[in-house]
Amino acid sequence: MENMQYAEELVREFLVFRGFTNTLQAFEKELSTDIGKGFQVDKILNLIFSVYITNFQAEKLVGLLSFFKQCVSSSETVLTATLAKLEISILRYYIVHALQSGRKDKVVEFFGTNGNDLLLRGQDWTSWFGGLPALLKISSEKNTVKHLKKDIKQLNMKLSQLQALLEEKEAQLSRLKNNSETIKYANIGQTKNSTLASGVNEESLLLSTNSSEACATTATHMGSAEMGQTWASSRPALSRFATNMSGNDSISPSKLEFEDVGAGDIIQMFNDGLYTENGRDAQGEEDFPEVKVDFLETFLGHTSPISCCRFSSSGNNIASASVDGTVRIWTYDSSTPASRNATIYCGTEIMSLEWECKSDRLLLIGTADGGIKAWNVDAKRVVCDLNTTDAFPSVLDLKCSPVEPIFVSAAASRRYGSSNIYSWGFASLTVWNMKTWKAMTVLPLGEDPPAITSLCFNHNGKILAASAVDGMIHMFDMSAGLQITGWPAHDSAISSILFGPDETSIFSLGFCDPESSKSCRHEMALDVNGRRLLVTSGSVRAPIYQVRGHASGMRTLPHGAAITTVDWHPTLPMFLTGSADHSVQVMSLS
């Protein structure tokens, strides 16, 4: 101890000799706040009994005693045991002093803060809780809650594993059945280097879904060439189109190279596997491994099947809608404030959801009765209630411009007597101003255009892509408000459309059979890097396809029913899946 004091004096003399006055002041300030008081006995005793205990500073007292224990090596058993006894005596003295001083609140505060640690030390402190049964009960309940939360997480993981095992066994039984039957697939003829009349090249990727649905024959037209395809079961068809965007955002033909399989390959996905025309085999969806997750959160706030769910522009909030006309705004992260959480009752079917691109402040809700509601998440109220014309009551999609304060609504008329995607009649595309909340213009689609099902802006908001129920894709110049090109992408309805990661290609998701669209529209979503494509599924798992590179795809953790809606986090490797089992799952890739 004397050596330490001597060293401190030498440091002071050196700093004075060199004229480091600021450093000397900082050194003196640090010494004055030294928790160990230089290990000087009289100063330590004065600090404990005249300051900490007298002023009921239990937190600092416990911190000081913990500091002394850290200074003693565990190999010095005698000193360690002595220090432990000294700690018990000092803490008990603090409790007695507080009771004698009439400060029962300080005793309650002490046990509330340190009760768990004291109970874990064994019999030394058990009897001291005898006079404080309420505190003991609170401490016990806290431990119970903590253990229950841990057990619930483990049970959720085990449940997911059991569901995966059950699904694997069912798949094995299905394969055994299929092996006993003869399955015939028609070869797909490929026309290389042919172009569309609009100057767009196509690669077709057919993704398998529920084998219980029937699928009709479909064909993809490329200019004057036709590729016939015959299928044994229903599946959505995903096509990727290559485009070339110059500085003025005009579109011209270019050659498409699909990284996963190679340029010029046509890809087919059957229920039992994926094959390419050149004879190479690739993995099928059923063979995809289960995705490994670091984080899993399940939201159970809905009472009917989920129809749509979207991350906000920052990813902090999630909006989810169910078929009973209810929208819930919530957060998956407990560290994010829940002040924006809300339940919105629309009283009619929710057709579309869209967050404002520049902030999380506004959520747009499109309904089946022609309504477009703008919900302010901070004020927790509808700030504007717009309506389309009576002729176009179904607001199938909404998209906000990433740059301008505008959004586009895709509304459709209704044909009666049908319950699927083809029940939508004609289309209307309206551009709305988000400052005045008034319609600016209606984009031209020609006479009696088929319903538009999906919209997508490019990065600067100058180009808008729109897909239709007749299999057409339309491209609009938003500056001029005119259609600049269009081409037939599918022989059946297109349900979803996306720009590729580099915006030189477009992904479109269609159907081989209109009956497969009765319950909901299928969706797809690209991750922030444009490498993974998540697609809805008639199965309890959603496939994640690898768009770039040669890695195999993955399958999400299972729900209890079909996957009806999907979305990726705007910045993180995290995605969400909504299901017909009324739940929404948020998963973070490991």
Side-chain angles (χ1 to χ4, degrees):
M1 209 63 62
E2 293 178 356
N3 291 337
M4 184 182 296
Q5 295 176 6
Y6 178 66
E8 291 174 359
E9 287 299 328
L10 288 178
V11 171
R12 287 192 185 91
E13 290 179 5
F14 173 77
L15 294 176
V16 171
F17 174 74
R18 293 298 306 272
F20 297 152
T21 55
N22 292 334
T23 306
L24 179 61
Q25 291 175 1
F27 180 65
E28 293 289 356
K29 185 177 181 180
E30 289 290 335
L31 287 178
S32 64
T33 58
D34 178 21
I35 189 173
K37 296 299 179 182
F39 294 99
Q40 298 180 45
V41 177
D42 54 340
K43 291 186 177 181
I44 293 173
L45 292 176
N46 181 67
L47 182 65
I48 291 175
F49 293 101
S50 300
V51 180
Y52 290 166
I53 293 179
T54 304
N55 297 323
F56 305 105
Q57 298 176 353
E59 185 178 352
K60 292 183 178 180
L61 178 61
V62 173
L64 176 63
L65 297 175
S66 299
F67 168 75
F68 288 140
K69 286 193 292 185
Q70 294 173 0
C71 296
V72 177
S73 174
S74 58
S75 60
E76 299 177 4
T77 55
V78 176
L79 188 56
T80 302
T82 303
L83 189 58
K85 291 180 180 179
L86 178 63
E87 179 188 22
I88 293 172
S89 300
I90 292 175
L91 293 179
R92 288 177 176 176
Y93 178 80
Y94 172 86
I95 296 169
V96 172
H97 174 74
L99 290 173
Q100 290 178 344
S101 303
R103 297 299 302 273
K104 292 183 180 180
D105 59 316
K106 292 298 179 181
V107 179
V108 173
E109 180 183 335
F110 174 80
F111 279 106
T113 305
N114 305 289
N116 288 333
D117 295 333
L118 297 178
L119 280 175
L120 293 175
R121 296 185 186 183
Q123 300 298 321
D124 290 336
W125 283 98
T126 304
S127 59
W128 284 73
F129 281 84
L132 298 166
L135 286 175
L136 184 59
K137 183 179 179 181
I138 291 172
S139 178
S140 177
E141 288 178 350
K142 283 184 177 179
N143 287 330
T144 303
V145 170
K146 188 181 296 183
H147 289 306
L148 284 175
K149 286 183 178 179
K150 186 176 180 181
D151 291 342
I152 289 172
K153 285 186 178 180
Q154 292 177 348
L155 287 173
N156 282 333
M157 294 302 294
K158 287 182 179 179
L159 179 60
S160 297
Q161 292 172 359
L162 288 174
Q163 287 178 332
L165 181 62
L166 177 61
E167 190 175 337
E168 182 180 352
K169 295 299 181 184
E170 289 177 348
Q172 289 177 359
L173 290 174
S174 177
R175 280 195 291 269
L176 288 173
K177 277 187 178 180
N178 292 334
N179 288 338
S180 64
E181 300 174 359
T182 304
I183 302 176
K184 295 181 180 180
Y185 298 102
N187 293 327
I188 295 181
Q190 179 183 4
T191 306
K192 294 187 178 181
N193 300 325
S194 61
T195 59
L196 292 169
S198 61
V200 183
N201 297 334
E202 176 180 359
E203 277 188 20
S204 191
L205 174 63
L206 296 178
L207 310 176
S208 62
T209 59
N210 199 331
S211 60
S212 64
E213 300 169 354
C215 179
T217 301
T218 182
T220 302
H221 301 275
M222 299 178 63
S224 60
E226 179 176 313
M227 298 185 294
Q229 305 170 352
T230 304
W231 305 96
S233 61
S234 172
R235 57 189 60 80
L238 173 67
S239 298
R240 183 179 179 184
F241 299 85
T243 62
N244 180 21
M245 297 197 179
S246 59
N248 58 2
D249 293 312
S250 63
I251 300 179
S252 59
S254 70
K255 184 177 180 180
L256 172 65
E257 294 186 358
F258 196 80
E259 295 86 351
D260 283 344
V261 180
D265 284 344
I266 302 299
I267 307 169
Q268 305 175 60
M269 179 72 79
F270 296 99
N271 288 338
D272 293 330
L274 180 143
Y275 307 92
T276 62
E277 189 203 17
N278 60 13
R280 291 181 296 168
D281 293 346
Q283 265 189 321
E285 178 184 323
E286 289 185 357
D287 298 322
F288 286 171
E290 183 179 88
V291 65
K292 295 181 180 179
V293 300
D294 283 336
F295 172 84
L296 171 63
E297 179 73 19
T298 302
F299 180 72
L300 301 173
H302 288 277
T303 57
S304 62
I306 308 300
S307 58
C308 186
C309 55
R310 296 289 182 267
F311 278 108
S312 62
S313 57
S314 68
N316 292 332
N317 296 101
I318 295 173
S320 55
S322 51
V323 297
D324 61 359
T326 302
V327 178
R328 298 290 300 271
I329 299 175
W330 50 283
T331 178
Y332 61 89
D333 188 357
S334 57
S335 63
T336 302
S339 57
R340 291 182 166 184
N341 291 6
T343 302
I344 309 166
Y345 299 101
C346 297
T348 185
E349 182 183 357
I350 309 298
M351 307 293 289
S352 52
L353 293 175
E354 174 72 352
W355 287 90
E356 182 186 14
C357 291
K358 292 186 177 181
S359 72
D360 293 355
R361 188 173 59 92
L362 288 176
L363 173 69
L364 301 180
I365 305 169
T367 65
D369 62 356
I372 303 174
K373 300 179 185 296
W375 177 268
N376 188 307
V377 294
D378 293 325
K380 287 191 175 183
R381 64 183 181 89
V382 175
V383 294
C384 188
D385 203 342
L386 305 174
N387 283 282
T388 60
T389 60
D390 294 338
F392 302 98
S394 299
V395 183
L396 301 185
D397 201 10
L398 297 167
K399 278 296 179 291
C400 291
S401 168
V403 178
E404 301 293 333
I406 62 173
F407 73 91
V408 180
S409 64
S413 60
R414 193 76 180 176
R415 291 176 181 169
Y416 296 96
S418 178
S419 60
N420 57 38
I421 196 170
Y422 292 94
S423 64
W424 298 322
F426 302 125
S428 174
L429 288 182
T430 306
V431 183
W432 302 82
N433 189 308
M434 297 180 70
K435 290 184 177 180
T436 62
W437 297 110
K438 293 182 178 180
M440 297 171 58
T441 185
V442 175
L443 297 177
L445 284 168
E447 185 178 356
D448 296 336
I452 298 296
T453 57
S454 182
L455 303 170
C456 184
F457 276 101
N458 72 333
H459 72 285
N460 58 13
K462 292 185 177 181
I463 301 294
L464 177 73
S467 62
V469 295
D470 62 349
M472 286 290 293
I473 292 179
H474 306 272
M475 304 288 281
F476 295 90
D477 181 349
M478 294 303 294
S479 300
L482 299 173
Q483 183 173 175
I484 52 179
T485 188
W487 64 91
H490 296 257
D491 284 344
S492 57
I494 302 175
S495 183
S496 184
I497 189 170
L498 291 172
F499 275 101
D502 54 2
E503 299 194 354
T504 60
S505 58
I506 289 177
F507 291 88
S508 62
L509 182 66
F511 297 93
C512 296
D513 182 11
E515 293 300 315
S516 66
S517 317
K518 279 189 176 181
S519 59
C520 65
R521 289 178 290 166
H522 280 270
E523 296 179 354
M524 59 181 173
L526 275 170
D527 70 349
V528 64
N529 298 316
R531 296 178 180 176
R532 299 185 182 95
L533 184 70
L534 177 62
V535 185
T536 55
S537 173
S539 172
V540 296
R541 296 172 182 269
I544 304 176
Y545 294 94
Q546 195 75 17
V547 177
R548 294 181 175 184
H550 297 277
S552 63
M554 296 177 288
R555 291 189 302 168
T556 63
L557 297 181
H559 279 269
I563 309 297
T564 56
T565 179
V566 295
D567 196 23
W568 278 98
H569 193 283
T571 57
L572 301 176
M574 180 181 294
F575 62 89
L576 56 82
T577 54
S579 172
D581 67 359
H582 310 178
S583 70
V584 180
Q585 288 185 353
V586 183
M587 306 177 208
S588 176
L589 297 179
S590 58

